[in-house]
Amino acid sequence: MLTALSIRNIVLIDALDLSFGPGLGVLTGETGAGKSILLDALGLVLGNRADTALVRAGEDQASVTATFEFGTLPALLQDALEEAEVEIEPGEPLIIRRRLKADGGSKAFVNDQPVGVALLRTLAGALVELHGQHDDRGLVNPRGHRMLLDRYADADVAGVAAAWEDWRKARSKLAAEREAIEQARADQDLLLAHLSELTNIEPQEGEEETLANSRTDMQKGEKLAGDLEDLRTVWDGSDSPLAALRVAARKLDRIAPEHPLLAEALAALDRAVIEAGEAEEKLQAAGEALQHDPLELDRIEQRLFELRALARKHNCQVDDLPEVMRGLRAKLDAIEQGDADLADLEKAERTAHEVYRARAEALHGTRVGAAMQLDEAVAAELAPLKLDSARFKTAVAEQPEEKWSAHGMDSVEFLIATNPGADFAPLGKIASGGELSRFILALKVALAEQGGAATVIFDEIDRGVGGAVASAIGERLARLANGNKGEGGQLLAVTHSPQVAARGRTHYMIAKSNEGTVTKTSVALLDAEGRQEEIARMLSGAEVTDEARAQADRLLEGA
């Protein structure tokens, strides 16, 4: 709720600091004292257009700061602040500040963090609900009527929303499967052609690297063929160096026992024979590996060309071609299996649809029953508020299936007829602002809630009425303020009615004074004596009489 409002240099207000508490707070004062200035100032922190005419004459800038405190921060506020990356600790007050320059432009802050004005407008719906002569928000807006009726009925909206989500997923899955199968059938001939082409080649994972390495070796073999042939002539035959070494080793073996140096020479020669043998084996292996076969080289190059051409065709790597084959087979298999899978998905979608419809129809019945009760409750409030001829109707209408949603199959709108025989029309079509405010009050009392806003403000709801009607308005305002969600609600009323003013838990008097050529507006929190005097003034006019004071006392005692 709103706990503090600080205003600097707004029109006739140079500096004003107000504190507010729970319950019904009333603001009174003579006509023209400046009550609208307070509402305009509050509108700035709620995101209203920054009008430079609000800046006090002679000042460079103006500012308004509003402080709101909550037991638990409402979800709408929490989500909006998180999305805007505004940090607020649990239990910390929400402080909104708007600064307006005389030469144009404004800045907004939430807990001293700069924000856009759009965020203020988003927060406003959960902070303050204003009902005045030109009300176009709150209960007047039909977008919130369904939610209000569901709260009143304690309806199972969550169950319908869950069923809707299940149905939505089933429909999406069915549609996706149908699209996939239809696309696959349209491409079936192309799929078969692609699969046949791949099957004829039968690509293998890792094949490209193996073929490329083989081709490289063959190309090297072609280049080294002459040198390898020369080396083979050196090592082959009985006159080769290796053969001569072996002959020398056999001869030395016979005489080596005769002297240690001969034995060492034999060992060295044996090592040479072994190393030479290994060299011969390596040369033979290299010759075989680098063997140049023109036909085989052509085959490898042709294979590589075909594989790489297919990879380009399917926009993949050569090693991915086996997976492409598997994917093509899966699509073709899906065409064959598609009818069976489709039948299962269609059955699941029908089942989800039936569950949703059953729950939505049950919700419709709950809404219709609750609408009748709400109509009766509102009707009971109309006569005391001097709306005897008015009629109220909660219109619950089933929508066509294409308009069904997680909220059910209904549209809900509050309608009224202000005169006998007149057609029902939306709340916002009421001609009289005073009637509209009283009608909204009747609806709020019947709903026994405040529409979600932390603070509700009624601006001159008692315009044009007095006596018993004003008393009825005051009684209902107090009841509404004291019964909000069990947390001590807050309702502020700008009023000219002494009967309404007497009901306030707190009373603020707005006054205008002149100091030479300077005019100022001030606001004072009245004590018991001050309340008696102000209510007496409201009763008697310019001259406060003892009789008016006595009547004021009676009003205060009866409140």
Side-chain angles (χ1 to χ4, degrees):
M1 67 179 178
L2 177 66
T3 57
L5 183 65
S6 179
I7 302 173
R8 296 292 183 271
N9 298 324
I10 294 291
V11 192
L12 300 179
I13 300 175
D14 57 352
L16 179 64
D17 295 293
L18 294 174
S19 297
F20 300 94
L24 176 60
V26 295
L27 295 93
T28 65
E30 295 183 356
T31 301
K35 294 184 289 295
S36 63
I37 298 175
L38 289 178
L39 298 181
D40 289 340
L42 185 59
L44 281 176
V45 296
L46 299 177
N48 288 358
R49 185 176 69 87
D51 186 352
T52 56
L54 292 173
V55 180
R56 182 176 170 82
E59 299 294 338
D60 294 331
Q61 66 179 20
S63 69
V64 181
T65 304
T67 302
F68 296 87
E69 296 185 22
F70 306 90
T72 301
L73 195 66
L76 186 151
L77 296 180
Q78 184 71 48
D79 294 343
L81 292 172
E82 287 181 358
E83 185 176 348
E85 298 183 352
V86 174
E87 297 181 0
I88 180 169
E89 297 295 330
E92 183 181 5
L94 182 67
I95 303 174
I96 303 176
R97 179 164 56 93
R98 185 90 177 271
R99 191 169 64 205
L100 175 62
K101 292 186 177 180
D103 58 359
S106 71
K107 292 185 178 181
F109 304 85
V110 174
N111 286 34
D112 289 330
Q113 301 173 62
V115 298
V117 176
L119 176 62
L120 304 190
R121 298 191 190 103
T122 301
L123 300 177
L127 294 174
V128 175
E129 183 180 335
L130 174 62
H131 299 291
Q133 301 302 306
H134 304 287
D135 196 326
D136 61 355
R137 297 182 296 180
L139 293 179
V140 175
N141 192 330
R143 285 183 296 181
H145 293 177
R146 181 177 54 211
M147 179 187 68
L148 291 171
L149 180 63
D150 288 341
R151 267 192 216 165
Y152 181 77
D154 194 21
D156 180 22
V157 181
V160 173
W164 165 263
E165 183 64 18
D166 291 342
W167 182 29
R168 186 192 64 79
K169 289 180 180 178
R171 281 186 301 170
S172 297
K173 194 171 183 179
L174 176 60
E177 186 67 16
R178 279 176 174 162
E179 183 180 356
I181 291 174
E182 288 173 4
Q183 185 63 41
R185 283 176 177 154
D187 298 339
Q188 188 171 15
D189 291 342
L190 183 61
L191 291 174
L192 287 170
H194 284 168
L195 183 60
S196 176
E197 191 176 34
L198 286 166
T199 301
N200 288 336
I201 290 183
E202 293 186 2
Q204 305 295 320
E205 293 180 7
E207 183 179 7
E208 182 185 26
E209 183 179 2
T210 300
L211 291 173
N213 290 338
S214 297
R215 183 182 64 176
T216 300
D217 288 344
M218 284 192 175
Q219 290 171 338
K220 289 178 180 178
E222 183 179 16
K223 180 180 178 181
L224 300 175
D227 294 334
L228 290 173
E229 184 60 29
D230 290 342
L231 286 171
R232 273 197 295 273
T233 59
V234 171
W235 293 97
D236 288 347
S238 58
D239 295 334
S240 69
L242 181 57
L245 284 174
R246 287 172 177 161
V247 170
R250 285 196 294 274
K251 291 181 178 180
L252 186 57
D253 183 58
R254 290 195 295 271
I255 64 175
E258 300 300 328
H259 194 279
L261 290 176
L262 294 175
E264 293 178 6
L266 177 60
L269 192 56
D270 285 342
R271 289 195 297 272
V273 169
I274 292 171
E275 293 291 338
E278 290 181 359
E280 182 181 33
E281 292 175 359
K282 299 294 184 184
L283 284 171
Q284 290 176 348
E288 293 173 359
L290 298 173
Q291 185 177 10
H292 173 235
D293 183 347
L295 294 178
E296 179 63 13
L297 180 59
D298 287 343
R299 185 195 71 79
I300 289 175
E301 288 183 336
Q302 181 63 27
R303 177 73 174 175
L304 281 172
F305 175 80
E306 292 174 347
L307 289 171
R308 288 170 177 172
L310 278 176
R312 288 193 298 273
K313 186 174 184 177
H314 292 281
N315 193 28
C316 68
Q317 300 296 320
V318 172
D319 282 348
D320 296 331
L321 288 174
E323 182 60 32
V324 172
M325 286 180 63
R326 289 190 287 271
L328 292 173
R329 289 194 181 101
K331 289 181 179 179
L332 290 168
D333 290 343
I335 295 174
E336 298 177 2
Q337 182 64 28
D339 289 338
D341 292 342
L342 204 60
D344 291 341
L345 290 174
E346 287 172 343
K347 182 180 179 181
E349 189 274 339
R350 283 195 303 271
T351 300
H353 173 266
E354 290 168 1
V355 171
Y356 169 79
R357 187 183 188 102
R359 292 186 182 180
E361 287 176 346
L363 178 59
H364 172 76
T366 299
R367 284 171 172 162
V368 170
M372 296 174 62
Q373 294 177 8
L374 180 59
D375 293 352
E376 293 177 1
V378 173
E381 296 291 332
L382 297 180
L385 297 175
K386 202 180 179 181
L387 294 168
D388 313 61
S389 301
R391 291 170 293 143
F392 175 84
K393 180 173 74 173
T394 305
V396 180
E398 287 192 48
Q399 298 293 293
E401 186 167 321
E402 60 268 19
K403 292 188 177 181
W404 293 358
S405 70
H407 305 292
M409 57 175 61
D410 305 316
S411 67
V412 177
E413 185 171 8
F414 299 147
L415 304 175
I416 63 169
T418 55
N419 299 304
D423 293 333
F424 281 96
L427 285 175
K429 301 297 183 181
I430 299 177
S432 165
E435 283 184 335
L436 177 56
S437 294
R438 281 181 278 137
F439 217 107
I440 288 174
L441 177 59
L443 181 55
K444 278 188 164 292
V445 171
L447 290 169
E449 63 89 52
Q450 291 204 33
T455 299
V456 177
I457 300 175
F458 280 92
D459 183 16
E460 299 188 6
I461 189 175
D462 47 18
R463 178 185 290 267
V465 300
V469 176
S471 294
I473 291 174
E475 187 274 330
R476 282 158 177 77
L477 288 173
R479 179 167 20 125
L480 186 60
N482 294 330
N484 178 33
K485 304 174 187 176
E487 298 177 358
Q490 184 183 59
L491 193 151
L492 301 176
V494 177
T495 180
H496 290 289
S497 168
Q499 290 89 344
V500 173
R503 291 281 181 174
R505 180 184 296 184
T506 53
H507 190 153
Y508 304 86
M509 187 180 72
I510 304 171
K512 185 164 62 175
S513 62
N514 297 312
E515 300 177 4
T517 60
V518 178
T519 301
K520 294 184 179 182
T521 290
S522 61
V523 182
L525 176 62
L526 300 180
D527 56 16
E529 183 178 349
R531 290 193 68 191
Q532 181 212 42
E533 194 68 13
E534 172 63 3
I535 293 174
R537 181 199 64 77
M538 297 170 72
L539 286 165
S540 63
E543 184 178 349
V544 180
T545 64
D546 291 338
E547 182 180 351
R549 292 188 179 93
Q551 179 63 19
D553 287 337
R554 285 192 290 270
L555 287 176
L556 289 167
E557 289 172 0

